[in-house]
Amino acid sequence: MMVDAGAAARTPETRPGDGPATPRPPVPADVLTLAVDCGGGGIKAAVLDSAGTAHAAPVRVPTPYPLPPRLLLDTVADIADRLPTAHRVTLGMPGMIRHGVVVHTPHYITRSGPRSRVLPELAEAWASFDVRGALARRLGVPAMVLNDAEVHGAGVVAGSGVELVLTLGTGLGSALFDGGRLAPHLEWSHAPVRRGATYDQYVGEPERRRLGDGLWSRRVAATIDGLRPVFRWDRLYLGGGNSRRITPTALDRLGDDVVVVPNSAALVGGARAWDLPLA
């Protein structure tokens, strides 16, 4: 089924064995967030208030390649100039991001985008790059940088129980929340699923185009069935640009604990990520 990105309640719940979640201080309604969703094919941004309401139409540009860190910062700054002035910025990008620092990013180290040749000089430039610090200095506002699926999840999770977010796009993104707390990020989508193919390759965009939506949807359903005993989620959210391509037959097979959410959550989550409870 489809739910609105803002429909879920966001009051964290204490579960048996957990300590109470520590919410951040309330944010005044007039605080505006520049939410930036960086993907393999495009970079999209909007300015939203603390309720997640956009104050102008989103701006989207193609992701430029080759993409060293400075060019990403220039691109975000150019987009920011076309939108209302914001008080803070949230950036979601693919890969392993820890405390705003890049551990690994799969697309931006390549010559011309996903599945093209890796350029060693770009891999070196991105390794241990402090995106959060550089972005805050460039825009002159506080910055938060997370994995793009984590930002997407911040826009939809209810803050109760174990909630898994999967984003279907160029590859497969994921984020895990427990009682509204964001768990450490795992790039398990790079693990092999069969015959040496990773989850990214198994259900990513190239395979959807090759197989067609019907056969690809069966792969997505099989992947979810395989993950269910691993995560034992209370709710699974499917987002990303390709979630809407899952066939009704495959959706019916997934069960009531699996919800398809709109791709707009990637921007709504930019505002709501600042309200996630502290660990």
Side-chain angles (χ1 to χ4, degrees):
M1 62 179 176
M2 176 76 73
V3 298
D4 180 76
R10 299 205 19 87
T11 302
E13 175 184 284
T14 302
R15 305 175 69 236
D18 289 347
T22 306
R24 296 176 184 272
V27 177
D30 59 350
V31 171
L32 299 180
T33 304
L34 172 65
V36 186
D37 180 29
C38 298
I43 297 175
K44 187 176 181 179
V47 170
L48 308 100
D49 59 28
S50 57
T53 302
H55 281 235
V59 174
R60 185 187 187 279
V61 300
T63 303
Y65 291 101
L67 185 60
R70 181 177 294 275
L71 180 55
L72 178 65
L73 295 173
D74 289 344
T75 302
V76 172
D78 288 345
I79 292 174
D81 288 341
R82 298 159 61 181
L83 288 166
T85 301
H87 304 97
R88 61 191 185 186
V89 57
T90 304
L91 184 141
M93 61 178 290
M96 178 75 76
I97 314 297
R98 290 185 184 145
H99 311 294
V101 176
V102 174
V103 176
H104 174 73
T105 185
H107 309 318
Y108 300 164
I109 61 175
T110 63
R111 182 180 64 82
S112 55
R115 294 176 175 81
S116 64
R117 182 168 60 90
V118 171
L119 299 180
E121 61 271 25
L122 282 179
E124 181 178 357
W126 277 108
S128 300
F129 183 75
D130 182 3
V131 185
R132 181 175 62 186
L135 188 62
R137 289 190 297 271
R138 180 63 187 270
L139 298 185
V141 295
M144 176 184 294
V145 179
L146 300 170
N147 171 271
D148 51 350
E150 295 174 340
V151 177
H152 200 113
V156 298
V157 295
S160 175
V162 174
E163 299 173 280
L164 178 65
V165 179
L166 298 181
T167 55
L168 298 161
T170 303
L172 178 66
S174 68
L176 184 65
F177 297 79
D178 183 14
R181 296 185 182 93
L182 179 60
H185 186 67
L186 299 176
E187 284 283 270
W188 58 263
S189 61
H190 294 293
V193 58
R194 74 172 192 181
R195 293 198 295 272
T198 64
Y199 284 95
D200 253 356
Q201 296 163 337
Y202 189 59
V203 295
E205 172 63 4
E207 283 297 275
R208 187 198 65 78
R209 290 182 178 179
R210 185 180 73 85
L211 296 170
D213 287 350
L215 289 177
W216 173 81
S217 295
R218 289 169 59 182
R219 279 196 176 185
V220 171
T223 297
I224 291 171
D225 287 343
L227 293 176
R228 187 181 295 275
V230 176
F231 288 94
R232 300 287 181 180
W233 57 71
D234 293 305
R235 181 64 62 88
L236 167 63
Y237 302 94
L238 296 177
N242 280 345
S243 61
R244 61 185 173 85
R245 296 183 178 274
I246 302 173
T247 62
T249 300
L251 283 177
D252 288 344
R253 166 183 165 183
L254 295 179
D256 293 338
D257 60 345
V258 179
V259 179
V260 175
V261 296
N263 204 31
S264 59
L267 296 178
V268 174
R272 294 184 176 176
W274 292 82
D275 299 326
L276 291 175
L278 300 172

